[in-house]
Amino acid sequence: MSVKEIFETMDYGPAPESAAEALTWLVDQGARFGHFIDGSFTEPGTLFDSRNPATGEVLASLTQATQDDVDSAVAAARQAQPGWEDIGGAARARFMYALARLLQKHARLLAVLETLDNGKPIRESRDIDVPLAVRHFYYHAGSAQLMDSEMDGRAAMGVCAQIVPWNFPLLMLAWKVAPALAMGNTVVLKPAEWTSLSALLFADLCRQAGLPDGVVNIVTGDGAVGEMLVRADVDKIAFTGSTEVGRAIRTATAGSGKALTLELGGKSPYIVFEDADLDSAVEGLVDAIWLNQGQVCCAGSRLLVQEGIAERFYAKLRARMDTLRIGNPLDKCIDVGAIIDPEHRQRIARMIGSEGDIHQTLPCPEGCYFPPTLITGLSSAHPLMQDEIFGPVLVAATFRTPQEAVQLANDTRYGLAASIWSENINTALDIAPKLAAGVVWINGSNMFDAAVPFGGLRESGFGREGGPEGLAAYTRPVRTREPLTPIAPFAGSNADPQPVDRTAKLYIGGKQVRPDGGHASGIYDAEGRLIGQAPIASRKDIRNAAEAARGASGWANAPAHTRAQVLYYIAENLHARADAFATLSDRLTGMARGADEVSLAVDRLFTAAAWADKYDGRIAQAPLRGAALVMRQPCGVIGALCPDEAPLLGLVSVMAPAIAMGNRVVLVASQPFPLAALEFSHILEGSDVPGGVVNILTGPHADLAPTLAQHMDIDAVWSFSGADVSQPIEQGAAGSLKRSWVNDGRARDWWGPEGTGPEFLEQATECKSVWIPWGA
């Protein structure tokens, strides 16, 4: 037999990993588990089975949590939290190091158990999931060590409810538990019903590490348990899962004051330009879509190929697909393992149907397996091009120009991740910032590290996991905020005669415009004298303002220096009219601090201008031969309800950092004292602010807040209103899962440090991680 014949005919022999140690561990536990609450396992209750997806065999029986179980776990976490926080970051770091080392010592046991429970190939559990989980505990041990010295003014959230999915059970646990513990929080974790075993093994490791009782609690069960946990007395909820469930959680927690981060679904584009290394791009695509059987939220499930190379690339891809090995996940030679559950396999089969040109990897074993699939010939509007399949199914389309590639890539309601393949670094770095995605990989896919934040935009959720940005989600400022006292407008009936009536108008698109509804309300001073009329904005006015703001998108691309110069010019013009604004403020509010308000507003404009070219990103220290850039990009269009108590200062304090970062804003002015904002619009007109960058409306906050939150052209909503609008804003924002920042009825000191600073800049930007490997 010739060498050529050997290479053409030889096949991989089986290389099975032994499951004996993992099965022994299960038997030693009695193969029946209760919950892990307050440092010990409870007695098993009503049981359900955890099965091996590859064989259907029962691995263990787990307990379905009841309301009493959830309440007990939350109570244990609540009792343990003050002591855990008080021991200090350095002491917590020792426990974190111990957990990291225990994960390393039991790496093979964890990997095998994960594969048995999940169905993913053992190579992935062994080489990706477990090492990354270990990395997160080491990284966050360092974060705990440095917290006391480097995070002054920040404190733990408290008790964190954490709900993780079935596709990366151990890794998602590490992503959530490690930063929470590092920052002094305690946790109640609910693993997925289908894959709870590695979480229960982790609980056993917590005992071995000597973790104080109640710091980590684990309850098992179906989605009903997750609902109980969302409703429980917790301070923070972190959820990874489907967009539908994430939307339900956002709705359920609206107005509760609970902090929330959501890492949801995706339909990530995989863009291949004609100058790409096609063979490398094919291999990268195998990792992008068929890792974990495509059951990955950031899977590169939408292939976009430049027309000139499309047929050649498809041919290479089909040839590579035909060599993929599907079978026993414990076999180290297997590329694609089992689908998580027969129910999910049937869902995938129903979704793909028979449309388009379908190519599948065959033969496919019997049982809970699904063949890697490529579908071409679909329109960009087809459901398979738009909806998350969450399986080993790749859909493909072509593009002609880089601009068209960006349009197709962004033509989805998701915004989690993207891959760009090109040998031209100029092309790659031109496209990366334009993609609506929280993570962009250049000439790579599925790269993760604890130092690099991960998370999405749009309906892929909000918040980040990993890096300092992820830590911020588990801390809060150390301050006491008093309940906000609503301010009623002054009433009256007297009117001073005016030689010429001056009509106050809304400010939309750089112009003074009358309200669409044609209504106005009288504004009186403390003596009951009519000062003027303020227009009452409506839904139509919000629509017009949002449209104008969307049309001013060029502001985001303006150099930071240019934005700073505009802010300085606004400050100059406001200072020139300081006396007039001070007099107006005193008369509107009935107080005598107008001069201080104007002076501080000028200072806030200068501060925002100073930050415009200084609040930037960083290069994360990821284990990469290249760079992982963490960029700060504007959110887009921000709708904001300004504070009532500081009619000029509050509006400027909200507006300035938002536009300094490149956003456009739709501002709803102080409800009782709106005339200061409308007078300020004349300052904007003479200060080189492009039309649509700042839009100012007046009217009842309770009427306008839901429309702001629900509007699809508004990307984020802030509320510092004196009205009780936090709940309707968060409920309305759930529709498109836009970011919201609300005061929960608590006062903010606009005259002090709370009225400015990095908190506003952080809320005004989205974090994008761009991975750039390099080298020959």
Side-chain angles (χ1 to χ4, degrees):
M1 179 179 289
S2 67
V3 172
K4 179 176 183 293
E5 291 172 330
I6 292 173
F7 274 99
E8 287 178 345
T9 58
M10 73 176 184
D11 197 3
Y12 285 89
E17 177 69 58
S18 172
E21 187 176 341
L23 295 175
T24 298
W25 181 81
L26 291 172
V27 171
D28 288 346
Q29 311 304 311
R32 296 169 74 249
F33 291 88
H35 311 295
F36 185 70
I37 298 175
D38 204 18
S40 61
F41 283 99
T42 66
E43 288 297 317
T46 302
L47 299 174
F48 63 93
D49 292 335
S50 180
R51 296 178 180 272
N52 181 342
T55 63
E57 296 175 357
V58 174
L59 297 170
S61 295
L62 313 179
T63 297
Q64 172 72 21
T66 64
Q67 185 67 60
D68 287 343
D69 294 327
V70 172
D71 292 344
S72 296
V74 172
R78 180 68 66 192
Q79 183 175 6
Q81 195 275 322
W84 177 246
E85 184 174 13
D86 289 346
I87 66 173
R92 292 194 299 273
R94 302 302 186 270
F95 287 106
M96 302 285 289
Y97 282 124
L99 284 171
R101 292 190 178 102
L102 282 167
L103 288 172
Q104 283 182 311
K105 292 173 183 176
H106 297 281
R108 188 55 59 92
L109 171 60
L110 284 161
V112 173
L113 190 64
E114 196 82 331
T115 289
L116 286 172
D117 204 22
N118 173 272
K120 66 177 63 183
I122 184 64
R123 289 187 301 116
E124 295 177 11
S125 299
R126 180 194 64 198
D127 299 340
I128 299 174
D129 294 28
V130 174
L132 271 176
V134 172
R135 163 70 173 150
H136 270 266
F137 276 95
Y138 272 125
Y139 176 88
H140 288 100
S143 299
Q145 181 75 29
L146 298 174
M147 182 183 180
D148 296 340
S149 61
E150 302 301 317
M151 299 182 70
D152 187 40
R154 306 290 295 184
M157 283 282 186
V159 176
C160 299
Q162 302 182 321
I163 304 171
V164 297
W166 46 259
N167 55 340
F168 291 94
L170 179 66
L171 183 54
M172 293 297 99
L173 176 152
W175 279 22
K176 288 178 169 52
V177 171
L181 297 189
M183 296 296 98
N185 302 279
T186 54
V187 302
V188 180
L189 177 87
K190 192 203 90 68
E193 178 185 7
W194 286 336
T195 53
S196 300
L197 297 182
S198 56
L200 295 171
L201 175 53
F202 176 77
D204 195 26
L205 298 181
C206 288
R207 290 197 303 186
Q208 295 180 38
L211 205 67
D213 294 348
V215 171
V216 170
N217 305 271
I218 296 174
V219 292
T220 54
D222 58 17
V225 180
E227 293 178 15
M228 297 175 197
L229 202 49
V230 167
R231 295 193 303 266
D233 178 26
V234 297
D235 304 293
K236 163 73 187 279
I237 297 171
F239 172 78
T240 296
S242 72
T243 294
E244 291 73 20
V245 176
R247 185 177 289 112
I249 292 174
R250 169 73 287 177
T251 301
T253 58
S256 67
K258 295 175 182 176
L260 178 64
T261 53
L262 299 174
E263 196 266 282
L264 308 176
K267 193 70 176 177
S268 301
Y270 190 97
I271 308 169
V272 182
F273 286 94
E274 58 190 4
D275 62 356
D277 180 337
L278 299 191
D279 292 325
S280 295
V282 166
E283 288 304 312
L285 186 53
V286 169
D287 289 335
I289 181 57
W290 292 303
L291 175 77
N292 198 14
Q293 298 71 256
Q295 300 167 136
V296 182
C297 55
C298 56
S301 56
R302 272 192 310 147
L303 170 63
L304 305 176
V305 188
Q306 201 156 13
E307 271 190 9
I309 59 164
E311 290 308 317
R312 187 153 55 103
F313 188 82
Y314 289 160
K316 286 178 175 286
L317 178 58
R318 292 185 184 108
R320 181 66 178 90
M321 288 175 65
D322 292 342
T323 67
L324 292 174
R325 299 176 298 279
I326 314 168
N328 176 15
L330 283 174
D331 187 340
K332 291 186 282 289
C333 294
I334 288 299
D335 297 307
V336 181
I339 300 298
I340 184 65
D341 189 84
E343 175 186 328
H344 187 58
R345 187 200 177 283
Q346 292 167 11
R347 175 184 173 274
I348 297 170
R350 286 194 305 269
M351 284 190 71
I352 67 168
S354 59
E355 295 185 59
D357 182 10
I358 300 175
H359 180 84
Q360 293 184 319
T361 299
L362 297 173
C364 184
E366 293 292 326
C368 201
Y369 294 88
F370 197 90
T373 302
L374 168 66
I375 305 177
T376 57
L378 301 175
S379 71
S380 60
H382 193 281
L384 290 179
M385 295 290 289
Q386 294 291 325
D387 297 335
E388 185 179 40
I389 300 171
F390 219 66
V393 180
L394 174 67
V395 293
T398 61
F399 66 90
R400 294 182 179 179
T401 65
Q403 292 76 16
E404 186 183 2
V406 172
Q407 291 175 347
L408 289 171
N410 292 341
D411 183 24
T412 172
R413 65 185 186 274
Y414 298 108
L416 188 53
S419 289
I420 303 169
W421 286 79
S422 172
E423 290 298 285
N424 186 331
I425 192 64
N426 293 318
T427 298
L429 294 182
D430 175 54
I431 298 300
K434 298 176 181 178
L435 297 179
V439 182
V440 178
W441 298 296
I442 294 176
N443 292 335
S445 60
N446 286 332
M447 290 183 276
F448 310 102
D449 186 68
V452 186
F454 180 88
L457 315 174
R458 298 176 171 177
E459 293 192 20
S460 291
F462 48 79
R464 294 294 181 265
E465 295 182 297
E469 297 79 7
L471 286 174
Y474 285 98
T475 62
R476 57 175 177 80
V478 179
R479 61 176 178 239
T480 301
R481 296 178 58 190
E482 300 298 325
L484 190 62
T485 302
I487 299 174
F490 296 122
S493 58
N494 299 323
D496 290 338
Q498 297 181 356
V500 178
D501 179 66
R502 184 177 185 186
T503 304
K505 298 180 182 179
L506 306 176
Y507 184 64
I508 298 176
K511 301 176 183 179
Q512 305 286 330
V513 300
R514 296 184 185 277
D516 181 73
H519 294 290
S521 61
I523 305 299
Y524 296 87
D525 65 16
E527 304 299 324
R529 294 172 298 184
L530 182 68
I531 305 176
Q533 303 284 339
I536 300 176
S538 64
R539 295 173 61 94
K540 176 70 180 304
D541 296 310
I542 288 180
R543 189 192 76 177
N544 293 341
E547 183 180 358
R550 185 63 63 186
S553 58
W555 179 250
N557 299 320
H561 173 74
T562 299
R563 298 197 298 268
Q565 296 307 302
V566 171
L567 283 160
Y568 284 131
Y569 195 22
I570 297 172
E572 290 176 20
N573 289 332
L574 177 60
H575 179 72
R577 293 190 56 198
D579 291 343
F581 273 93
T583 300
L584 177 60
S585 178
D586 287 343
R587 190 175 181 195
L588 282 170
T589 63
M591 304 180 72
R593 57 180 183 179
D596 291 340
E597 183 177 10
V598 176
S599 176
L600 198 49
V602 171
D603 185 68
R604 294 279 161 83
L605 287 163
F606 268 76
T607 299
W611 274 116
D613 57 359
K614 298 174 183 64
Y615 189 75
D616 49 22
R618 61 187 177 89
I619 297 180
Q621 296 297 311
L624 170 74
R625 188 165 180 255
L629 303 182
V630 182
M631 303 172 61
R632 284 287 179 178
Q633 294 187 316
C635 294
V637 178
I638 298 176
L641 297 154
C642 298
D644 290 342
E645 60 272 31
L648 176 65
L649 176 61
L651 180 138
V652 168
S653 299
V654 171
M655 177 203 76
I659 67 173
M661 295 295 101
N663 299 282
R664 294 85 71 201
V665 293
V666 178
L667 304 173
V668 182
S670 165
Q671 184 170 326
F673 314 125
L675 294 181
L678 298 180
E679 190 65 27
F680 181 72
S681 68
H682 296 288
I683 297 290
L684 298 174
E685 285 181 309
S687 301
D688 295 339
V689 180
V693 171
V694 179
N695 305 272
I696 300 177
L697 309 178
T698 56
H701 289 188
D703 294 342
L704 299 176
T707 303
L708 276 178
Q710 295 166 14
H711 201 291
M712 298 299 289
D713 265 344
I714 293 177
D715 302 297
V717 183
W718 299 354
S719 176
F720 307 103
S721 174
D724 185 14
V725 294
S726 295
Q727 182 175 16
I729 283 176
E730 292 182 332
Q731 284 181 332
S736 58
L737 286 167
K738 60 171 63 77
R739 286 174 57 178
S740 59
W741 185 25
V742 298
N743 60 9
D744 294 311
R746 296 285 171 174
R748 178 179 289 266
D749 180 12
W750 295 98
W751 305 83
E754 286 186 340
T756 186
E759 185 178 15
F760 287 84
L761 304 173
E762 180 184 348
Q763 291 291 341
T765 53
E766 291 283 8
C767 182
K768 173 178 283 189
S769 301
V770 181
W771 293 72
I772 312 172
W774 57 54

